[in-house]
Amino acid sequence: MSKWAAAVLAAGKGTRMKSRLPKVLHPVGGKPMVARVLATAKAAGVEETAVIIGFGGEEVRAALGDEYHYVVQAEQLGTGHAVRLAEDALREAETVLVICGDTPLLRTETIRQLYDAHREAGAAATILTTVMPDATGYGRIIRDDKGAVLRIVEEKDADASERAVREVNTGTYCFAGRQLWEKLAAITCDNAQGEYYLTDVIALLVAAGETVAAVVAEDSAETLGVNSRAQLAEAEAILRRRKVAELLAAGVTCIDPERVYADDEVTVGADTVLEPGVILRGRTHIGPNCRIGPDTELVDTVVGEDSRVHRTYAHEVTVGARAQIGPYVHLRPGTELAADVKVGNFVEVKNSRVGAGTKFPHLSYIGDSDVGGGVNVGCGTITVNYDGVHKHRTTIGDGAFVGCNTNLVAPVTVGADAYVGAGSTITKDVPPAALAVGRSRQIIKENWVKKTVERD
Ligand code: UD1
Ligand code: CA
């Protein structure tokens, strides 16, 4: 059995979110908030976790997977009741971290600090507290004149002097397992809200002569609990600024840091410039010395060094070094561009491998294609990859030249170094180094206008 386990409170409906989605599944920085909390706890060293679910519990379970114990709290009788339900799953744990599924901004280091302080003090409970300019809504930390924690009083149960306290309970704690379960069995719901308060465990421990410690989180923004869409937006903004600060520290220029959005796992190389309106999602990795944006969204996309990506939407794509992409380009899944490729304005590329130095300068659709290196594809060329039932591949060999406004009707191959005349519809393979022209011959009728068109 684990030394350190966590009970994650995630049963709440989150009424103020006004949502069909359980509150803890609302994403912040691209991930459900409870998934963030779980990842943070795990990174801090938690070995085993019980998630207390209730409203939308099955949805929460499906989103998080089977790595955790799930405990269903059918009726929300309070935080003390909720944690108590995890006893069976976590009974043997030496230390129990209690944490809410709606505090997505907590950092791993802070949780680690809480745990270390708890172990060092040999405490029965250690509370993560913070000092807030406006403590409205939070439980207040009541200390004696020597500074020792006596109890936590909920706002609704507090008198005027207690309400004046600015140090609040963040809702995150470490408990010694045995003492926690023992005292949870003793709490009552005799309070202003008629709920079983987890916070009452603190006074019971103090009365029993146990050590109760507190760690004050310096940055109160980190402990923000999300209860409303306004707080969700606030959390999103804080996370975004955190990530952008990390990019700036890594040598990335952000022309307007308020308009750069990057998920956690995103990496960007030094000397890359991110213009306003850049959104980097999922596992997107940008090399050094690139210029990305403005108004560019890259999802699970890798971009090599020294590339320019301008007003582009790309998902599940690999772009090689020194690429010139955009403006107004759509790169779709399965696209792999080698080095020095140019994809110019109003071009869509899907599920295609493209060799080094190849150019699609304007107005093309390239789908399901294998294109060699050094190929030039003229303006308006499209691969006709769909016959209404099946998708077919187009192959273009190294060094080929495809004239403007060509239809390449797949399955079809244009051989290496071949030429295709402008305006062709190519339905048969073109041998290497051949010229293919597939269009009707132009005819001229002399004086046709004079003979046939009546004019006043
Ligand atoms: C709680 C604390 C308060 C602290 C605040 C920090 C108690 C009694 N009070 O108050 O001291 O300042 O958090 O945010 O613990 N939940 C359940 N089941 C329940 C009740 C709650 O799973 O029966 C979950 C909620 O979904 C939420 C978390 O526990 O994620 C906190 O519950 P909430 O009702 O918001 O507690 P607060 O009143 O904010
Ligand atoms: Ca709350």
Side-chain angles (χ1 to χ4, degrees):
M1 193 22 164
S2 50
K3 215 171 125 196
W4 190 15
V8 177
L9 301 187
K13 180 168 192 292
T15 311
R16 276 176 286 166
M17 296 295 285
K18 302 203 171 118
S19 177
R20 284 167 49 210
L21 192 67
K23 177 170 82 173
V24 295
L25 290 187
H26 279 265
V28 175
K31 267 189 213 142
M33 14 187 182
V34 64
R36 278 188 179 278
V37 171
L38 290 166
T40 302
K42 191 171 177 182
V46 164
E47 297 150 295
E48 188 163 19
T49 298
V51 185
I52 294 103
I53 54 176
F55 178 80
E58 283 316 305
E59 235 178 300
V60 175
R61 191 194 294 240
L64 300 178
D66 52 16
E67 189 182 327
Y68 313 102
H69 301 283
Y70 291 94
V71 181
V72 178
Q73 187 190 31
E75 220 186 327
Q76 304 239 299
L77 303 178
T79 49
H81 175 253
V83 173
R84 201 178 170 192
L85 294 174
E87 182 176 352
D88 281 348
L90 307 181
R91 197 191 321 266
E92 307 298 326
E94 220 173 292
T95 303
V96 178
L97 170 73
V98 174
I99 191 167
C100 295
D102 60 2
T103 51
L105 302 181
L106 279 170
R107 293 174 194 263
T108 302
E109 306 86 86
T110 305
I111 301 302
R112 189 70 220 182
Q113 207 188 327
L114 175 70
Y115 178 78
D116 290 344
H118 177 74
R119 303 292 297 189
E120 254 165 57
T126 305
I127 311 161
L128 183 66
T129 74
T130 196
V131 177
M132 292 207 160
D134 175 9
T136 307
Y138 288 92
R140 309 297 206 280
I141 305 296
I142 308 303
R143 296 179 184 251
D144 68 14
D145 44 17
K146 293 198 191 73
V149 174
L150 293 176
R151 60 203 173 90
I152 300 172
V153 59
E154 291 307 297
E155 173 154 288
K156 288 187 176 133
D157 299 280
D159 64 27
S161 71
E162 289 166 334
R163 275 181 206 214
V165 173
R166 294 283 161 266
E167 186 185 6
V168 304
N169 170 25
T170 64
T172 309
Y173 327 70
C174 278
F175 290 99
R178 193 178 54 75
Q179 279 96 326
L180 173 65
W181 310 125
E182 190 185 294
K183 297 300 181 240
L184 275 177
I187 61 173
T188 69
C189 55
D190 181 18
N191 53 52
Q193 300 185 79
E195 286 181 7
Y196 292 92
Y197 290 165
L198 171 63
T199 45
D200 283 354
V201 164
I202 300 300
L204 292 179
L205 289 171
V206 171
E210 302 279 3
T211 305
V212 173
V215 168
V216 185
E218 281 182 17
D219 175 13
S220 64
E222 193 182 330
T223 65
L224 176 77
V226 173
N227 297 307
S228 63
R229 303 272 183 169
Q231 285 169 328
L232 185 68
E234 204 181 317
E236 187 80 45
I238 291 168
L239 262 190
R240 187 177 53 71
R241 289 195 194 110
R242 227 187 244 181
K243 180 68 189 184
V244 170
E246 181 191 311
L247 295 177
L248 295 170
V252 176
T253 292
C254 298
I255 304 278
D256 181 355
E258 288 296 306
R259 296 191 57 210
V260 169
Y261 305 79
D263 286 351
D264 300 325
E265 288 145 60
V266 167
T267 57
V268 182
D271 292 320
T272 285
V273 177
L274 303 179
E275 304 248 17
V278 168
I279 303 173
L280 307 174
R281 295 193 198 279
R283 287 180 296 275
T284 289
H285 302 289
I286 314 280
N289 201 37
C290 294
R291 193 167 193 100
I292 312 291
D295 301 328
T296 291
E297 180 175 1
L298 307 179
V299 184
D300 297 329
T301 287
V302 175
V303 179
E305 59 191 9
D306 304 318
S307 291
R308 174 83 182 95
V309 183
H310 188 188
R311 291 187 200 279
T312 291
Y313 175 41
H315 41 134
E316 295 165 56
V317 164
T318 303
V319 175
R322 297 175 302 280
Q324 295 287 319
I325 312 292
Y328 311 108
V329 162
H330 187 185
L331 301 177
R332 295 171 52 199
T335 294
E336 289 173 33
L337 310 180
D340 302 295
V341 166
K342 178 183 168 77
V343 181
N345 46 184
F346 307 104
V347 173
E348 174 179 339
V349 185
K350 185 207 84 173
N351 189 26
S352 295
R353 280 194 296 276
V354 180
T358 285
K359 296 186 168 81
F360 308 126
H362 343 258
L363 297 158
S364 282
Y365 171 63
I366 307 296
D368 303 310
S369 299
D370 298 291
V371 184
V375 171
N376 197 316
V377 173
C379 176
T381 292
I382 62 168
T383 55
V384 183
N385 60 331
Y386 187 48
D387 62 12
V389 183
H390 297 110
K391 299 277 170 73
H392 302 281
R393 291 195 80 81
T394 298
T395 304
I396 305 177
D398 292 341
F401 181 95
V402 179
C404 289
N405 215 34
T406 294
N407 299 310
L408 298 168
V409 182
V412 75
T413 295
V414 176
D417 300 317
Y419 269 56
V420 176
S424 292
T425 293
I426 298 297
T427 56
K428 296 192 196 87
D429 289 353
V430 181
L435 168 67
V437 182
R439 61 181 183 230
S440 53
R441 225 169 248 287
Q442 179 173 323
I443 55 169
I444 299 285
K445 297 191 174 176
E446 298 289 351
N447 290 319
W448 179 86
V449 176
K450 259 191 206 147
K451 284 185 236 158
T452 57
V453 182
E454 281 181 41
R455 291 239 170 90
D456 295 334

